Amino acid sequence: MAASGLATLFYSHSINPITGLSTLSSPARIRSSPRVFTGFHSLRRRGFRRFSHNVTADPFFSFSCNCFSAVSTTTLDYEFTDGGREVELRLRLRTGEILSPKDISVDADGTSLAVKEKRNGLLITLLETNQLFEKIMPSETIWYIDEDQLVVNMKKVDGDLKWPDIVESWESLTAGMMQLLKGASIYIVGDSTEINQKVSRELAVGLGYSPLDSKELLESFSKQTIDSWILAEGPESVAEAESSVLESLSSHVRTVVSTLGGKHGAAGRADKWRHLYSGFTVWVSQTEATDEESAKEEARRSKQEREIGYSNADVVVKLQGWDPTHAKSVAQASLSALKQLIISDKGLPGKKSLYIRLGCRGDWPNIKPPGWDPSSETGTPSQFT
């Protein structure tokens, strides 16, 4: 049984996930001038436009999102600071003109923010995103004009979470996930060994984790390819050998492990998950679903029917087709899903650590007390936390 349900993300490579993100990931920094406030405004009593949320939760505790934020901006000049409970965004406004609060539009809603400035009767978008790094309290958002800068102050829902940047992007996720993972390893599972390898390598580079590949380790040990091993000894032998490799890796921290795909892979077998539970598992699965809701329902059915071992995974990323050049985008989707999962239960990394210290006995997620014998049907039934 997986820890907390299946966090699900749907990714279509027809969407370019990188477009717009680089604009905010490496901004031109501007120097703040002395504060001369020309207006102070709050969204508490304002009506504000509703954006479609990127992340929604259903009764099965399954997350779904569009994977990548739609970000548009006409300016590179901005400053961002995280002050603990609040974050502050400063945007450069046009200079040489007297600005009125009526010339500014600031709309916020959950994980969305739109900032616009009126020029010659037209509203020009300064910044618009439907995926802030995390959730804010829209009614607590205030803004004011400080000389040639617009200052937007937003209160975070989770004041303990440090925001590396204003939007969720590859750069902010790889920086921000370190505080959430707390050294826990990540395992990439799924039917395609190639996809698992490419996604895991991108994750390892981004997080600064050690990349480990069970296919390479097995071939190095056996001095033969996986295909020739299957022909000589059968898929059962390969799955058993990979299970032994996963056991040896289960005590490692700060690693991203790529597992074998197909029927010869250990991860596809429910009885081989004892050591996979030691880290966070991402099931990268190809799908024929054409929309987010269909992909989420497909993942929920897999979870309930439990026909394959992959359904034990902590999160699933559903792919509409596969393009090797988009491996980084799939890795980003994986981090986004893991972020939502851990934020929903910040005790998970510590629980993974405890599971390892007790010997990866297979009692995930209901960890039994020390001394419990996994081979005994009469082991202590109480849960240990």
Side-chain angles (χ1 to χ4, degrees):
M1 182 181 295
S4 305
L6 210 56
T8 308
L9 283 151
F10 174 68
Y11 169 60
S12 170
H13 68 262
S14 61
I15 303 172
N16 183 355
I18 304 301
T19 301
L21 295 180
S22 58
T23 304
L24 292 178
S25 62
S26 50
R29 304 309 250 175
I30 55 178
R31 182 176 301 172
S32 298
S33 54
R35 291 191 173 189
V36 179
F37 300 156
T38 58
F40 182 83
H41 304 268
S42 170
L43 299 187
R44 286 186 181 181
R45 291 176 293 277
R46 287 184 55 195
F48 45 83
R49 173 156 43 98
R50 293 281 175 182
F51 296 87
S52 61
H53 285 190
N54 280 70
V55 181
T56 57
D58 66 15
F60 288 92
F61 196 65
S62 172
F63 292 98
S64 173
C65 94
N66 296 330
C67 303
F68 306 102
S69 57
V71 182
S72 62
T73 177
T74 58
T75 177
L76 287 175
D77 289 340
Y78 84 98
E79 284 184 332
F80 170 77
T81 55
D82 184 317
R85 298 294 306 177
E86 300 175 343
V87 290
E88 182 180 273
L89 175 69
R90 286 174 168 264
L91 289 166
R92 174 87 71 180
L93 298 173
R94 70 183 187 272
T95 58
E97 298 181 35
I98 299 176
L99 291 172
S100 164
K102 294 181 179 180
D103 296 325
I104 303 297
S105 170
V106 177
D107 294 332
D109 183 16
T111 57
S112 303
L113 177 68
V115 181
K116 298 183 180 182
E117 177 186 6
K118 183 179 291 185
R119 298 178 188 174
N120 301 320
L122 298 176
L123 279 177
I124 306 300
T125 300
L126 299 180
L127 181 147
E128 185 169 13
T129 177
N130 62 358
Q131 197 161 350
L132 297 169
F133 185 75
E134 245 309 300
K135 295 179 181 178
I136 61 170
M137 301 178 187
S139 63
E140 300 296 319
T141 299
I142 59 174
W143 61 270
Y144 56 87
I145 299 172
D146 183 3
E147 291 197 344
D148 63 345
Q149 296 178 41
L150 173 66
V151 183
V152 183
N153 185 277
M154 295 162 281
K155 182 172 288 187
K156 297 186 289 186
V157 170
D158 184 350
D160 296 327
L161 181 67
K162 181 72 174 178
W163 288 28
D165 204 349
I166 188 68
V167 296
E168 182 182 281
S169 65
W170 173 249
E171 290 80 4
S172 64
L173 279 170
T174 51
M177 282 300 293
M178 302 304 290
Q179 63 185 305
L180 295 173
L181 287 170
K182 299 185 185 302
S185 292
I186 298 173
Y187 294 85
I188 306 300
V189 305
D191 272 331
S192 171
T193 301
E194 177 199 356
I195 294 176
N196 297 346
Q197 289 174 321
K198 291 185 179 299
V199 173
S200 66
R201 287 169 188 163
E202 291 291 349
L203 284 171
V205 171
L207 293 171
Y209 273 28
S210 299
L212 295 172
D213 187 329
S214 66
K215 180 176 183 288
E216 292 180 357
L217 292 172
L218 287 168
E219 290 182 339
S220 176
F221 170 77
S222 65
K223 309 300 182 185
Q224 62 181 326
T225 65
I226 296 297
D227 289 340
S228 62
W229 190 340
I230 294 173
L231 289 174
E233 301 183 39
E236 292 288 344
S237 175
V238 176
E240 193 64 37
E242 186 184 24
S243 183
S244 296
V245 169
L246 295 173
E247 179 179 1
S248 68
L249 299 179
S250 61
S251 61
H252 291 216
V253 295
R254 297 181 178 85
T255 62
V256 181
V257 181
S258 169
T259 64
L260 287 175
K263 296 180 179 179
H264 52 277
R269 301 162 184 250
D271 62 340
K272 302 294 185 186
W273 270 72
R274 177 176 168 182
H275 296 97
L276 283 167
Y277 290 134
S278 64
F280 286 100
T281 48
V282 180
W283 175 16
V284 181
S285 171
Q286 292 180 280
T287 179
E288 295 182 359
T290 58
D291 59 76
E292 176 186 350
E293 287 303 317
S294 298
K296 184 170 73 171
E297 180 58 32
E298 181 180 279
R300 290 172 61 192
R301 284 199 307 271
S302 297
K303 177 72 175 176
Q304 293 167 356
E305 295 169 0
R306 306 186 67 80
E307 294 179 350
I308 53 178
Y310 302 136
S311 61
N312 290 321
D314 294 302
V315 301
V316 56
V317 175
K318 289 288 186 179
L319 305 181
Q320 189 188 53
W322 166 247
D323 184 340
T325 62
H326 287 174
K328 187 174 182 178
S329 303
V330 179
Q332 179 177 331
S334 302
L335 287 182
S336 181
L338 286 173
K339 183 186 72 155
Q340 293 303 317
L341 177 71
I342 298 174
I343 286 175
S344 69
D345 184 356
K346 291 186 178 178
L348 280 175
K351 192 173 180 180
K352 294 282 188 183
S353 178
L354 174 63
Y355 180 78
I356 295 172
R357 295 199 304 273
L358 291 175
C360 297
R361 302 171 301 179
D363 52 341
W364 182 267
N366 301 314
I367 300 177
K368 305 298 190 295
W372 176 76
D373 183 2
S375 64
S376 172
E377 294 182 358
T378 59
T380 306
S382 59
Q383 182 176 349
F384 180 68
T385 58

